[in-house]
């Protein structure tokens, strides 16, 4: 029998269904809406995030897991465009941060869960071609269930 992954346990407040509203600096004045869900799979060994949204925000899936050899967490992401990425994950007191460092596009997103657990705030940044960091997609989540 598989036991729950203790390293991922602090992400338990994310479990459930959420609606979200997002903004992207490349599309000023536009608001995007969508849904997200977070659930344990394989008895809590992994956390899965599923997202869907209005065009141009792609539907995607991410699996969070850990490597006990280096005590780090990771996220594997795949979306409807065929984009596949690996992110490093840092779990903090009120959420997590995922990031990747790549020559063409580096990204980092910090998700903060509110104290009451009804909302989350996601703030993204990106760096293209090793240039300066700039704003990326920002997402505000509200719990549905």
């Amino acid at each position: 029998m598989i036991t729950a992954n203790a390293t991922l346990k602090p992400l338990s407040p994310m479990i459930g269904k959420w609606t979200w509203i997002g903004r992207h600096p490349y599309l000023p004045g536009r608001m995007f809406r969508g849904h997200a869900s977070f659930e344990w799979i394989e008895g809590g060994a992994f956390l899965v995030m599923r997202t869907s949204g209005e065009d141009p925000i792609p539907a995607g899936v991410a699996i969070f897991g850990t490597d006990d050899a280096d005590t780090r967490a990771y996220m594997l992401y795949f979306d409807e465009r065929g984009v596949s990425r690996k992110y490093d994950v840092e779990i903090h007191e009120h959420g997590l941060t995922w990031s990747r460092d790549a020559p063409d596009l580096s990204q980092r997103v910090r998700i903060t869960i509110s104290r009451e657990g009804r909302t989350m705030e996601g703030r993204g940044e990106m760096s293209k071609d090793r240039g300066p960091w700039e704003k990326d997609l920002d997402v505000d989540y509200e719990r549905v269930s």
Side-chain angles (χ1 to χ4, degrees), residues 14 16 18-20 33-39 48-54 57-64 75 77-81 98 111 120 137 139 141:
M14 299 174 88
W18 304 79
T19 58
W20 59 262
R33 293 177 179 0
H35 296 84
S37 66
F38 295 84
E39 66 181 293
V48 63
M49 173 181 73
R50 292 181 177 88
T51 58
S52 62
E54 296 174 346
I57 309 300
V61 62
I63 305 289
F64 296 85
M75 177 179 87
Y77 171 84
F78 188 83
D79 69 31
E80 65 186 345
R81 302 169 297 178
W98 63 74
I111 305 286
M120 296 190 298
L137 182 67
V139 178
Y141 300 84

Side-chain angles (χ1 to χ4, degrees), residues 6-122:
T7 303
L8 297 176
K9 187 80 171 147
L11 301 180
S12 292
M14 299 174 88
I15 300 300
K17 296 182 180 180
W18 304 79
T19 58
W20 59 262
I21 297 174
R23 297 159 304 286
H24 197 286
Y26 287 3
L27 301 164
R30 286 189 61 188
M31 301 287 276
F32 306 97
R33 293 177 179 0
H35 296 84
S37 66
F38 295 84
E39 66 181 293
W40 297 119
I41 57 173
E42 299 304 319
F46 300 97
L47 177 67
V48 63
M49 173 181 73
R50 292 181 177 88
T51 58
S52 62
E54 296 174 346
D55 185 54
I57 309 300
V61 62
I63 305 289
F64 296 85
T66 59
D67 181 340
D68 61 357
D70 64 8
T71 66
R72 296 185 62 178
Y74 300 94
M75 177 179 87
L76 293 176
Y77 171 84
F78 188 83
D79 69 31
E80 65 186 345
R81 302 169 297 178
V83 170
S84 179
R85 296 182 177 147
K86 177 187 157 246
Y87 292 85
D88 295 318
V89 174
E90 293 180 31
I91 299 170
H92 49 82
E93 185 178 358
H94 297 289
L96 73 159
T97 301
W98 63 74
S99 61
R100 71 187 289 264
D101 184 23
D104 59 335
L105 179 65
S106 294
Q107 293 174 295
R108 56 188 178 209
V109 174
R110 183 177 180 94
I111 305 286
T112 304
I113 307 164
S114 65
R115 293 196 188 279
E116 78 285 348
R118 302 287 310 149
T119 61
M120 296 190 298
E121 181 180 273

Side-chain angles (χ1 to χ4, degrees), residues 106-109 123-127 133-137:
S106 294
Q107 293 174 295
R108 56 188 178 209
V109 174
R123 298 296 174 254
E125 294 180 301
M126 65 182 158
S127 170
W133 285 95
E134 58 186 271
K135 298 278 291 168
D136 198 355
L137 182 67

